[in-house]
Amino acid sequence: MAPNSIHWFRKGLRLHDNPALCEAVRGAGTVRCVYFLDPWFAGSSNVGVNRWRFLLQCLEDLDASLRKLNSRLFVIRGQPANVFPRLFKEWKISRLTFEYDSEPFGKERDAAIKKLAMEAGVEVIVKISHTLYDLDKIIELNGGQPPLTYKRFQTLISRLDPPEMPVETLSESLMGGCITPVSDDHGEKYGVPSLEELGFDTEGLPSAVWPGGETEALTRIERHLERKAWVANFERPRMNANSLLASPTGLSPYLRFGCLSCRLFYFKLTDLYRKVKKNSSPPLSLYGQLLWREFFYTAATNNPRFDKMEGNPICVRIPWDRNPEALAKWAEAKTGFPWIDAIMTQLRQEGWIHHLARHAVACFLTRGDLWISWEEGMKVFEELLLDADWSVNAGSWMWLSCSSFFQQFFHCYCPVGFGRRTDPNGDFIRRYLPVLRGFPAKFIYDPWNAPESVQAAAKCIIGVHYPKPMVHHAEASRLNIERMKQIYQQLSRYRGLGLLASVPSTNGNGNGGMMAYSPGEQQSGTNGNNSHLPGASGSSVTTGNGSRSILFNFDSEEQTGPSNVGQQQQQRLHTPPQNQQQQHHGYHSVPDASQNITSSRLYHEFAVPQHPGLLLHTRGSITGKRERESEREGSGEEEPASCSVNKMQRQSAETS
Amino acid sequence: MKRIKGGEEGSAGESPPEASKKVRTEPESEEPEAAGESPRCDWSRLPQELLLHIFQYLPLLDRAYASQVCRGWNEAFHMPELWRCFEFELNQPASSYLKATHPDLIKQIIKRHSNHLQYVSFKVDSSMESAEAACDILSQLVNCSLKTLGLISTARPSFMEVPKSHFISALTVVFVNSKSLSSLKIDDTPVDDPSLKVLVANNSDTLKLLKMSSCPHVSPAGILCVADQCHGLRELALNYHLLSDELLLALSSEKHVHLEHLRIDVVSENPGQHFHAIKKSSWDAMVRHSPKFNLVMYFFLYEDEFGPFFNDEIPVTHLYFGRSVSKEVLGRVGLHCPRLVELVVCANGLRPLDEELIRIAKHCTQLSAIGLGECEVSCSAFVEFVKMCGRRLSQLSIMEEVLIPDHRYSLDEIHWEVSKHLGRVWFPDMMPTW
């Protein structure tokens, strides 16, 4: 008997390039495409109305496309684990297909459903199509650890085979004899609900700037490629005032919901590049947008605490301020900085902002001005941003707050200057903050500096009609850069005066890959092995035993560029320090500034666990810039007790 | 590492809470077991020095558990050596995500170990309660002799919210009682001139480091008094408004040791603020006196406030421009900063910095670290810059957007070219497109 299939849609809301869906219909007697929606959950969830609307539009579109194939979409009200057993029985199901979900909670959920299906004698077919690559293969290639720098990730990718070609779009011929039994009351039982049914108040809701659905996605990708072909320049477009606005060629929300296959996008880009550039092979940078997404999926797939600071082995612990009032001002576009407020307004109204605008508001909330935890910002994006995906959202927030992935932190986007450079005229501000419409370009980014007469003429008194700036940016940056420096100096154990060298790095340009990552050892940063080390105190990244392999791989791979690089670094490593005997005093012993040179090799000692005593000696003798043990004891900033206290507190919290 | 592990197994094992419970509730059954594992090893007879050595590696909680094993270990727990450093973490649940040092532990320390404390720091969150708690502890540190004291605001500076008199009286308790303070870090606090006088009166012979950026109640005269009296001062951090010709001359007096590190924050309170200038002769005196001293300057100014800066030679070694800085000022930096080691420019206008960088490469022969944020440089000029500096550029952090491709180099080519001149693999810094 031909099998009866269910295809379970989650992401991957499309008929094109949907390998799991193809498996569902192959040789099957019946197929039913289902989507689970918990109406109780919907209203109370953290997801905003724009995202819900986008999802519902995607489902409508799927249903419409399936109708053309004499099928329908079944929107099931309830939770998969509760409903599947009933469906299996009722529909006499023998095959269940779905797209692979790489995220930790998705994997957990899918494992449970697989088990249910197996118990019910249902065959389960899972296919990878939300990412270009099998993420586990990338991790395997990296010695079992996810790469923690984008550079390293690119290196790994370039060693993999190109992604698999997209599969055929579901069509009548592909359906063959496979039918979908549809009852007369289908609409009632399984129809796509409206926003109102989900409990959203839609009165006055403006029409969607980003309409959801596969059909829209396929139109957009054609426009996207047309424009690229017309520009014939495959480098990253430079930002201008126009790029701040929602573009009819934008694709990110469609990739997020899987209305657009990333592989289709990948191969269309490749074809276009070959056509325009006469068959030269495309550089990795062509796929930047896709690869960044892939990078964060890879980093997150085995890390269930990827979206948290505490207990997340790749996240630097930063003593963020807990400040609900300030957070609310940021989220509700009341910071008093027009550039920040306009972006946050656009985000709330339309569900999308330009990636540099994301950098601007994320930097402002976290390390730039407010010193508020990236987790809080991530939650707001989760609610409002159409393309916010768990992995990509958390990963980007960690990145932008300099909480992981080792980049330089020296650069803070100025909430006044950055906008002014991008859109000198201030049209973007006037569009989203009509209250400031009357201000001349000169003052529109810092209206509080406008003379009273200008404010009066603009019919907008700062402090009355529009808030005063909530922070003194210069003062906040001064404080924050100092804090970041302290935190990173603890991490890298760099004690010199340089700002740039405080970021631990492999090759001196902030693309380092030395961060040890050891799943299952998430607390090891505060365990006995290294808790005595200054770097492992309070605000540090967990280091663990799994690090050795990452590092050595990293070493041998990244240094194959220009000749004699390896030798160069070897020599440097063995150069005796010039200033071993340092002063024993104070917070810093001041090294000779020229010793910055050795910093590119710091990660060695940073990551490889050794006997603590030994480690301390090595530190002194290799770099000369770190304090030796005796000096460290004289330093109040980083002493052993601090970590002990941390641990004590943590553990007493656990036991009590 | 092995040895340490062994120590742990002997005392508390992998999970201290349970193990110690066992030790407490059924000591009889525990001991034979341990003995069975290593028959001739009697942990309780470990010499004190060894025990101390092991304890120094153990987190406080593990030490606390170990101290319950036997009398000897309990004595070891209270050895002064283990209580020289302490970091008080003062956080409120309402204003911090991090845990605070337990009040009972604080009481214990003040009662039993305050006379052992030498290196003490307070990390306080942004709440006034935390800062006040820190002051309360400070005012109880009467019978101790601190060498190092650090008051560190981990979020918004909260010491500034504490009533000034409360803060000052707490701080002066330490100044008066600890007569050999060598390092003092009191950035962002309401410390004032009279309290600095107390510091000088009691600790002038020992003070080596003083960090007091953004202390609005200190005047140039107040800091001058410190410089005049504390001849051992090697490191000093303060805001530009406290910097004066007199201060530099005082620091370069014959009686004064070589200064090693001077950190100056130049912060604008409101746009258009006027800043005084420092004479070249004062800087010259400083360099003559301390030829190797590092001058670190962080600028957070509006573009039009740079008038008084970089018109004459200045011995700055590390420069950080936190806000937009004009091409013209960077041009002056190229001319007047021969000792420059590190340069970080967060932002600049939209015109390429080509000539400025080349000038910097030419004149700043010590430059070994550079970071560029929102700036623009043509690829050709950048390659030229790297070629001129060569391998001494150990830190080269350039945002990808900074580099403008031109007829000679594309973005893909530039990383090879730059890597070649640096002698190591180099890439521009990338930001996620998301």
Side-chain angles (χ1 to χ4, degrees):
Chain A
M1 210 182 84
N4 296 318
S5 301
I6 289 180
H7 175 73
W8 179 17
F9 278 112
R10 298 94 62 92
K11 290 169 187 172
L13 302 176
R14 61 172 184 264
L15 301 191
H16 75 274
D17 187 28
N18 195 333
L21 179 59
C22 293
E23 287 298 321
V25 299
R26 200 157 55 99
T30 65
V31 66
R32 291 177 178 89
C33 295
V34 305
Y35 187 92
F36 283 91
L37 226 170
D38 197 329
W40 286 104
F41 178 71
S44 63
S45 78
N46 189 30
V47 173
V49 64
N50 274 324
R51 291 192 69 187
W52 274 107
R53 174 165 62 183
F54 192 92
L55 171 68
L56 297 182
Q57 287 172 341
C58 291
L59 299 180
E60 295 278 6
D61 187 61
L62 265 184
D63 190 38
S65 305
L66 285 167
R67 273 184 209 229
K68 290 180 193 152
L69 302 172
N70 295 316
S71 178
R72 289 296 296 269
L73 177 70
F74 295 69
V75 178
I76 316 272
R77 275 74 170 163
Q79 294 288 344
N82 301 335
V83 185
F84 262 129
R86 180 169 60 79
L87 295 183
F88 291 155
K89 260 193 217 144
E90 203 176 305
W91 294 341
K92 301 194 170 50
I93 296 303
S94 50
R95 183 190 294 166
L96 171 66
T97 66
F98 51 83
E99 180 182 62
Y100 178 72
D101 185 342
S102 70
E103 299 187 330
F105 297 108
K107 287 200 282 191
E108 203 176 299
R109 174 202 58 209
D110 291 351
I113 299 297
K114 263 190 198 167
K115 196 163 160 263
L116 277 180
M118 271 177 22
E119 283 162 8
V122 175
E123 176 199 14
V124 179
I125 302 177
V126 185
K127 291 282 176 185
I128 294 174
S129 53
H130 193 64
T131 53
L132 293 169
Y133 300 92
D134 179 348
L135 306 180
D136 292 335
K137 284 219 175 97
I138 301 177
I139 292 173
E140 194 189 306
L141 194 64
N142 198 41
Q145 311 288 345
L148 284 168
T149 66
Y150 185 60
K151 267 274 93 74
R152 174 70 188 153
F153 176 79
Q154 286 182 317
T155 310
L156 295 169
I157 291 298
S158 60
R159 287 207 272 138
L160 288 172
D161 292 332
E164 280 178 42
M165 294 290 285
V167 301
E168 206 181 325
T169 303
L170 188 68
S171 61
E172 273 185 58
S173 67
L174 213 59
M175 293 275 282
C178 176
I179 57 151
T180 303
V182 178
S183 62
D184 291 339
D185 58 352
H186 183 93
E188 249 166 72
K189 271 171 90 175
Y190 301 121
V192 178
S194 66
L195 279 172
E196 290 83 356
E197 282 170 70
L198 294 181
F200 287 101
D201 181 11
T202 55
E203 211 180 287
L205 187 70
S207 64
V209 177
W210 298 83
E214 180 184 14
T215 312
E216 173 73 18
L218 293 174
T219 318
R220 278 169 176 261
I221 189 169
E222 289 313 320
R223 276 200 296 253
H224 184 95
L225 295 166
E226 267 167 39
R227 201 173 74 162
K228 269 221 157 75
W230 186 72
V231 179
N233 169 8
F234 293 94
E235 266 153 18
R236 214 154 129 178
R238 297 199 84 77
M239 188 174 176
N240 58 37
N242 232 348
S243 40
L244 290 171
L245 302 179
S247 154
T249 63
L251 298 174
S252 60
Y254 303 90
L255 287 165
R256 152 66 178 84
F257 284 89
C259 308
L260 175 64
S261 150
C262 57
R263 301 191 294 198
L264 181 73
F265 186 25
Y266 182 96
F267 283 101
K268 289 212 173 223
L269 276 174
T270 312
D271 290 348
L272 180 69
Y273 188 90
R274 294 222 164 100
K275 214 162 83 194
V276 175
K277 297 260 170 171
K278 305 286 175 247
N279 286 326
S280 60
S281 69
L284 271 184
S285 58
L286 178 66
Y287 312 107
Q289 191 184 357
L290 288 173
L291 293 184
W292 273 107
R293 174 178 174 270
E294 204 85 356
F295 171 64
F296 289 128
Y297 282 128
T298 314
T301 182
N302 292 328
N303 181 355
R305 299 197 58 91
F306 193 68
D307 62 338
K308 308 267 190 306
M309 176 172 81
E310 292 293 341
N312 179 353
I314 68 161
C315 185
V316 182
R317 288 181 80 224
I318 296 175
W320 303 114
D321 193 17
R322 199 193 279 270
N323 188 342
E325 296 84 27
L327 174 66
K329 281 185 186 167
W330 174 82
E332 290 159 20
K334 289 176 183 151
T335 66
F337 288 92
W339 169 238
I340 301 298
D341 292 342
I343 295 170
M344 293 306 287
T345 305
Q346 182 189 28
L347 174 62
R348 194 167 289 274
Q349 283 174 7
E350 302 178 6
W352 178 91
I353 49 178
H354 187 270
H355 69 261
L356 289 177
R358 299 172 195 206
H359 296 188
V361 294
C363 184
F364 183 84
L365 180 74
T366 58
R367 65 191 176 88
D369 290 273
L370 301 185
W371 200 253
I372 288 176
S373 168
W374 60 271
E375 289 177 54
E376 306 291 354
M378 178 190 69
K379 287 178 202 155
V380 172
F381 272 30
E382 167 103 359
E383 176 194 347
L384 301 177
L385 188 67
L386 291 175
D387 59 44
D389 220 348
W390 188 78
S391 309
V392 183
N393 193 22
S396 304
W397 272 96
M398 268 192 274
W399 183 291
L400 297 173
S401 63
C402 289
S403 294
S404 191
F405 308 114
F406 282 101
Q407 350 87 48
Q408 288 290 344
F409 54 83
F410 71 80
H411 172 240
C412 286
Y413 291 99
C414 172
V416 173
F418 182 36
R420 190 175 273 155
R421 245 187 308 281
T422 311
D423 174 23
N425 205 24
D427 293 335
F428 177 74
I429 307 289
R430 292 190 191 91
R431 181 185 177 115
Y432 291 101
L433 300 176
V435 64
L436 297 173
R437 212 169 260 167
F439 275 97
K442 184 168 186 247
F443 293 112
I444 197 154
Y445 286 97
D446 54 346
W448 62 91
N449 284 332
E452 271 174 45
S453 59
V454 174
Q455 297 187 23
K459 297 197 181 64
C460 176
I461 305 301
I462 301 306
V464 180
H465 306 109
Y466 181 75
K468 287 182 178 160
M470 64 184 293
V471 285
H472 187 290
H473 173 69
E475 189 55 32
S477 350
R478 181 190 68 80
L479 287 164
N480 294 343
I481 199 83
E482 204 49 36
R483 289 178 198 132
M484 289 306 282
K485 189 174 140 193
Q486 265 186 24
I487 289 161
Y488 271 85
Q489 283 188 336
Q490 285 199 357
L491 272 180
S492 61
R493 304 210 190 93
Y494 167 71
R495 309 302 303 271
L497 300 178
L499 186 68
L500 299 174
S502 20
V503 175
S505 127
T506 51
N507 49 19
N509 68 352
N511 289 328
M514 71 312 297
M515 200 185 278
Y517 176 77
S518 45
E521 276 187 68
Q522 301 182 352
Q523 304 299 346
S524 65
T526 43
N527 75 11
N529 290 344
N530 47 16
S531 60
H532 66 285
L533 294 173
S537 72
S539 40
S540 81
V541 167
T542 306
T543 59
N545 294 321
S547 54
R548 199 177 284 265
S549 59
I550 301 187
L551 293 170
F552 290 142
N553 287 348
F554 196 97
D555 255 351
S556 51
E557 317 255 336
E558 298 287 351
Q559 293 173 7
T560 49
S563 59
N564 83 12
V565 166
Q567 284 174 358
Q568 189 65 35
Q569 299 217 336
Q570 279 298 315
Q571 281 167 10
R572 211 180 279 156
L573 195 63
H574 295 295
T575 307
Q578 298 165 7
N579 193 9
Q580 267 203 44
Q581 211 50 49
Q582 291 171 0
Q583 310 286 346
H584 177 184
H585 71 88
Y587 285 88
H588 287 278
S589 61
V590 182
D592 191 287
S594 65
Q595 287 179 8
N596 274 0
I597 284 182
T598 43
S599 65
S600 64
R601 298 296 289 186
L602 296 195
Y603 67 95
H604 252 303
E605 310 124 71
F606 176 53
V608 182
Q610 298 175 37
H611 182 274
L614 191 70
L615 186 53
L616 289 169
H617 293 304
T618 333
R619 271 205 290 154
S621 64
I622 288 194
T623 65
K625 90 161 78 172
R626 322 269 192 66
E627 289 184 334
R628 277 128 39 84
E629 186 169 18
S630 57
E631 290 150 1
R632 190 175 52 77
E633 281 188 354
S635 131
E637 254 175 342
E638 305 179 355
E639 23 65 351
S642 64
C643 28
S644 323
V645 177
N646 280 336
K647 184 168 182 189
M648 180 156 190
Q649 282 144 9
R650 185 170 52 74
Q651 295 198 343
S652 49
E654 280 164 11
T655 46
S656 62
Chain B
M1 201 163 75
K2 279 249 166 66
R3 254 195 339 196
I4 301 307
K5 265 233 169 99
E8 267 183 347
E9 274 156 26
S11 59
E14 290 301 320
S15 49
E18 280 167 44
S20 72
K21 239 181 262 162
K22 255 195 216 162
V23 172
R24 250 180 284 139
T25 51
E26 8 173 15
E28 305 299 308
S29 65
E30 178 75 4
E31 266 167 29
E33 232 176 87
E37 262 173 49
S38 47
R40 288 202 285 154
C41 173
D42 185 354
W43 287 98
S44 65
R45 287 197 202 152
L46 217 54
Q48 285 288 72
E49 311 85 76
L50 278 184
L51 203 52
L52 173 66
H53 194 69
I54 294 171
F55 270 35
Q56 276 172 334
Y57 287 110
L58 285 180
L60 184 58
L61 188 72
D62 289 349
R63 295 205 307 257
Y65 286 138
S67 74
Q68 298 171 359
V69 170
C70 61
R71 194 175 298 264
W73 287 18
N74 190 273
E75 279 164 20
F77 178 80
H78 291 291
M79 279 192 280
E81 288 86 345
L82 294 170
W83 297 97
R84 284 188 182 147
C85 302
F86 200 81
E87 182 177 79
F88 294 92
E89 291 188 78
L90 302 167
N91 301 314
Q92 311 297 319
S95 47
S96 173
Y97 298 86
L98 303 181
K99 288 248 163 24
T101 308
H102 197 281
D104 292 345
L105 179 60
I106 295 176
K107 268 187 217 146
Q108 266 261 338
I109 288 172
I110 292 175
K111 205 171 119 200
R112 290 196 68 164
H113 296 293
S114 66
N115 53 332
H116 304 143
L117 292 173
Q118 293 182 354
Y119 310 101
V120 173
S121 57
F122 293 83
K123 284 193 168 169
V124 300
D125 68 4
S126 58
S127 73
M128 190 178 78
E129 289 90 326
S130 301
E132 291 208 308
C135 293
D136 288 340
I137 299 172
L138 278 178
S139 33
Q140 294 176 68
L141 297 182
V142 279
N143 57 352
C144 57
S145 182
L146 298 189
K147 291 192 170 131
T148 288
L149 174 65
L151 304 182
I152 299 157
S153 304
T154 59
R156 280 170 293 149
S158 46
F159 283 107
M160 290 306 296
E161 290 167 29
V162 176
K164 191 178 146 208
S165 56
H166 184 196
F167 176 83
I168 298 293
S169 67
L171 192 63
T172 40
V173 165
V174 176
F175 290 170
V176 170
N177 289 288
S178 300
K179 301 228 185 258
S180 53
L181 263 178
S182 95
S183 297
L184 187 61
K185 182 175 157 70
I186 43 172
D187 301 314
D188 301 291
T189 60
V191 64
D192 60 2
D193 289 357
S195 47
L196 285 182
K197 278 214 171 94
V198 179
L199 170 72
V200 170
N202 292 280
N203 300 279
S204 63
D205 293 341
T206 50
L207 193 69
K208 290 172 180 162
L209 177 148
L210 178 60
K211 287 191 165 188
M212 36 171 290
S213 296
S214 288
C215 294
H217 301 297
V218 175
S219 75
I223 188 68
L224 188 60
C225 155
V226 176
D228 273 334
Q229 310 283 321
C230 303
H231 298 138
L233 201 62
R234 301 170 211 243
E235 298 189 38
L236 182 60
L238 36 79
N239 279 39
Y240 189 75
H241 76 267
L242 294 185
L243 185 70
S244 61
D245 293 303
E246 293 76 24
L247 182 69
L248 289 177
L249 294 177
L251 290 170
S252 40
S253 82
E254 266 175 46
K255 288 173 284 181
H256 215 283
V257 300
H258 292 312
L259 190 70
E260 291 172 11
H261 174 189
L262 180 59
R263 154 80 186 253
I264 308 288
D265 283 356
V266 193
V267 189
S268 162
E269 306 292 325
N270 36 53
Q273 193 176 331
H274 180 74
F275 289 90
H276 63 282
I278 296 291
K279 289 196 195 100
K280 180 171 180 295
S281 56
S282 313
W283 285 125
D284 288 345
M286 195 70 244
V287 177
R288 268 197 309 278
H289 178 267
S290 307
K292 281 179 146 177
F293 97 108
N294 286 286
L295 175 59
V296 182
M297 296 185 85
Y298 278 45
F299 283 89
F300 299 92
L301 297 186
Y302 287 92
E303 278 197 25
D304 54 2
E305 292 168 331
F306 278 96
F309 300 100
F310 305 108
N311 297 311
D312 276 318
E313 200 171 291
I314 177 169
V316 63
T317 53
H318 297 73
L319 255 181
Y320 176 85
F321 292 106
R323 311 187 85 170
S324 187
V325 58
S326 69
K327 264 169 81 79
E328 197 223 326
V329 170
L330 289 171
R332 299 204 308 251
V333 166
L335 284 181
H336 299 305
C337 306
R339 300 172 87 232
L340 195 62
V341 172
E342 177 175 90
L343 173 66
V344 178
V345 181
C346 288
N348 167 257
L350 285 177
R351 279 157 47 219
L353 288 176
D354 295 7
E355 307 86 48
E356 289 76 12
L357 273 191
I358 300 222
R359 186 187 280 177
I360 286 167
K362 201 161 146 196
H363 294 283
C364 308
T365 52
Q366 310 293 310
L367 190 76
S368 68
I370 186 163
L372 300 177
E374 294 160 60
C375 310
E376 295 200 347
V377 186
S378 76
C379 283
S380 306
F382 183 66
V383 168
E384 183 61 24
F385 167 79
V386 174
K387 206 164 133 189
M388 290 171 76
C389 296
R391 295 185 179 187
R392 71 165 199 262
L393 275 185
S394 60
Q395 300 288 331
L396 182 59
S397 178
I398 311 294
M399 306 269 286
E400 197 181 31
E401 289 85 354
V402 168
L403 301 169
I404 310 296
D406 55 21
H407 59 285
R408 291 187 60 195
Y409 302 103
S410 74
L411 279 180
D412 286 318
E413 288 154 348
I414 195 160
H415 103 84
W416 285 105
E417 196 61 25
V418 171
S419 301
K420 205 172 75 193
H421 295 303
L422 289 178
R424 63 171 194 273
V425 182
W426 178 86
F427 290 96
D429 292 356
M430 279 183 286
M431 293 295 272
T433 41
W434 166 67

